[in-house]
mmCIF file of all heavy atoms in Angstrom:
data_model
loop_
_atom_site.group_PDB
_atom_site.id
_atom_site.type_symbol
_atom_site.label_atom_id
_atom_site.label_comp_id
_atom_site.label_asym_id
_atom_site.label_seq_id
_atom_site.Cartn_x
_atom_site.Cartn_y
_atom_site.Cartn_z
ATOM 1 N N VAL A 105 -16.832 -1.148 6.367
ATOM 2 C CA VAL A 105 -17.950 -1.775 5.663
ATOM 3 C C VAL A 105 -17.854 -3.293 5.722
ATOM 4 O O VAL A 105 -18.832 -4.005 5.974
ATOM 5 C CB VAL A 105 -17.999 -1.289 4.196
ATOM 6 C CG1 VAL A 105 -19.057 -2.066 3.423
ATOM 7 C CG2 VAL A 105 -18.273 0.211 4.143
ATOM 8 N N PHE A 106 -16.655 -3.838 5.492
ATOM 9 C CA PHE A 106 -16.517 -5.306 5.428
ATOM 10 C C PHE A 106 -16.789 -5.959 6.780
ATOM 11 O O PHE A 106 -17.249 -7.092 6.851
ATOM 12 C CB PHE A 106 -15.117 -5.687 4.929
ATOM 13 C CG PHE A 106 -14.015 -5.451 5.928
ATOM 14 C CD1 PHE A 106 -13.648 -6.445 6.820
ATOM 15 C CD2 PHE A 106 -13.357 -4.235 5.982
ATOM 16 C CE1 PHE A 106 -12.634 -6.238 7.739
ATOM 17 C CE2 PHE A 106 -12.346 -4.017 6.894
ATOM 18 C CZ PHE A 106 -11.982 -5.018 7.790
ATOM 19 N N VAL A 107 -16.503 -5.242 7.894
ATOM 20 C CA VAL A 107 -16.733 -5.809 9.217
ATOM 21 C C VAL A 107 -18.219 -6.094 9.411
ATOM 22 O O VAL A 107 -18.600 -7.127 9.969
ATOM 23 C CB VAL A 107 -16.205 -4.866 10.311
ATOM 24 C CG1 VAL A 107 -16.537 -5.407 11.707
ATOM 25 C CG2 VAL A 107 -14.700 -4.662 10.164
ATOM 26 N N ARG A 108 -19.056 -5.183 8.943
ATOM 27 C CA ARG A 108 -20.506 -5.358 9.092
ATOM 28 C C ARG A 108 -21.034 -6.502 8.229
ATOM 29 O O ARG A 108 -22.141 -6.993 8.458
ATOM 30 C CB ARG A 108 -21.219 -4.044 8.735
ATOM 31 C CG ARG A 108 -20.874 -2.890 9.685
ATOM 32 C CD ARG A 108 -21.805 -1.697 9.480
ATOM 33 N NE ARG A 108 -21.578 -1.037 8.201
ATOM 34 C CZ ARG A 108 -20.687 -0.061 8.015
ATOM 35 N NH1 ARG A 108 -19.921 0.339 9.034
ATOM 36 N NH2 ARG A 108 -20.545 0.504 6.840
ATOM 37 N N GLN A 109 -20.241 -6.940 7.229
ATOM 38 C CA GLN A 109 -20.679 -8.006 6.331
ATOM 39 C C GLN A 109 -20.149 -9.383 6.723
ATOM 40 O O GLN A 109 -20.467 -10.380 6.075
ATOM 41 C CB GLN A 109 -20.233 -7.686 4.899
ATOM 42 C CG GLN A 109 -20.874 -6.426 4.333
ATOM 43 C CD GLN A 109 -20.302 -6.050 2.971
ATOM 44 O OE1 GLN A 109 -19.242 -6.517 2.595
ATOM 45 N NE2 GLN A 109 -21.021 -5.204 2.241
ATOM 46 N N LEU A 110 -19.339 -9.456 7.776
ATOM 47 C CA LEU A 110 -18.765 -10.739 8.179
ATOM 48 C C LEU A 110 -19.841 -11.677 8.716
ATOM 49 O O LEU A 110 -20.816 -11.239 9.330
ATOM 50 C CB LEU A 110 -17.690 -10.527 9.245
ATOM 51 C CG LEU A 110 -16.438 -9.761 8.787
ATOM 52 C CD1 LEU A 110 -15.509 -9.520 9.977
ATOM 53 C CD2 LEU A 110 -15.710 -10.507 7.682
ATOM 54 N N SER A 111 -19.639 -12.983 8.493
ATOM 55 C CA SER A 111 -20.586 -13.996 8.970
ATOM 56 C C SER A 111 -20.145 -14.521 10.329
ATOM 57 O O SER A 111 -18.944 -14.663 10.586
ATOM 58 C CB SER A 111 -20.657 -15.167 7.987
ATOM 59 O OG SER A 111 -21.028 -14.720 6.701
ATOM 60 N N PRO A 112 -21.090 -14.847 11.209
ATOM 61 C CA PRO A 112 -20.728 -15.420 12.511
ATOM 62 C C PRO A 112 -20.052 -16.783 12.333
ATOM 63 O O PRO A 112 -20.523 -17.624 11.577
ATOM 64 C CB PRO A 112 -22.085 -15.557 13.223
ATOM 65 C CG PRO A 112 -23.007 -14.656 12.487
ATOM 66 C CD PRO A 112 -22.544 -14.639 11.074
ATOM 67 N N ASN A 113 -18.935 -16.992 13.002
ATOM 68 C CA ASN A 113 -18.226 -18.265 12.992
ATOM 69 C C ASN A 113 -17.663 -18.508 14.375
ATOM 70 O O ASN A 113 -17.072 -17.619 14.986
ATOM 71 C CB ASN A 113 -17.068 -18.256 11.974
ATOM 72 C CG ASN A 113 -17.552 -18.351 10.536
ATOM 73 O OD1 ASN A 113 -18.221 -19.306 10.166
ATOM 74 N ND2 ASN A 113 -17.251 -17.341 9.743
ATOM 75 N N GLY A 114 -17.822 -19.718 14.876
ATOM 76 C CA GLY A 114 -17.360 -20.039 16.221
ATOM 77 C C GLY A 114 -15.856 -20.189 16.294
ATOM 78 O O GLY A 114 -15.212 -20.635 15.358
ATOM 79 N N MET A 115 -15.302 -19.774 17.425
ATOM 80 C CA MET A 115 -13.868 -19.956 17.673
ATOM 81 C C MET A 115 -13.657 -19.917 19.180
ATOM 82 O O MET A 115 -13.967 -18.920 19.831
ATOM 83 C CB MET A 115 -13.064 -18.853 16.981
ATOM 84 C CG MET A 115 -11.551 -19.016 17.090
ATOM 85 S SD MET A 115 -10.701 -17.779 16.098
ATOM 86 C CE MET A 115 -8.981 -18.243 16.396
ATOM 87 N N ASP A 116 -13.127 -21.008 19.756
ATOM 88 C CA ASP A 116 -13.022 -21.046 21.214
ATOM 89 C C ASP A 116 -11.820 -20.241 21.712
ATOM 90 O O ASP A 116 -10.912 -19.879 20.950
ATOM 91 C CB ASP A 116 -12.973 -22.484 21.731
ATOM 92 C CG ASP A 116 -11.794 -23.264 21.178
ATOM 93 O OD1 ASP A 116 -10.684 -22.707 21.103
ATOM 94 O OD2 ASP A 116 -11.981 -24.439 20.798
ATOM 95 N N ASP A 117 -11.802 -19.981 23.008
ATOM 96 C CA ASP A 117 -10.752 -19.157 23.603
ATOM 97 C C ASP A 117 -9.373 -19.787 23.442
ATOM 98 O O ASP A 117 -8.366 -19.085 23.303
ATOM 99 C CB ASP A 117 -11.042 -18.932 25.090
ATOM 100 C CG ASP A 117 -12.252 -18.025 25.309
ATOM 101 O OD1 ASP A 117 -12.604 -17.312 24.354
ATOM 102 O OD2 ASP A 117 -12.816 -18.033 26.418
ATOM 103 N N GLY A 118 -9.321 -21.127 23.476
ATOM 104 C CA GLY A 118 -8.039 -21.804 23.324
ATOM 105 C C GLY A 118 -7.398 -21.517 21.979
ATOM 106 O O GLY A 118 -6.182 -21.320 21.887
#
Side-chain angles (χ1 to χ4, degrees):
V105 173
F106 72 90
V107 176
R108 296 192 291 272
Q109 296 174 343
L110 294 175
S111 302
N113 286 301
M115 184 174 181
D116 60 42
D117 290 341

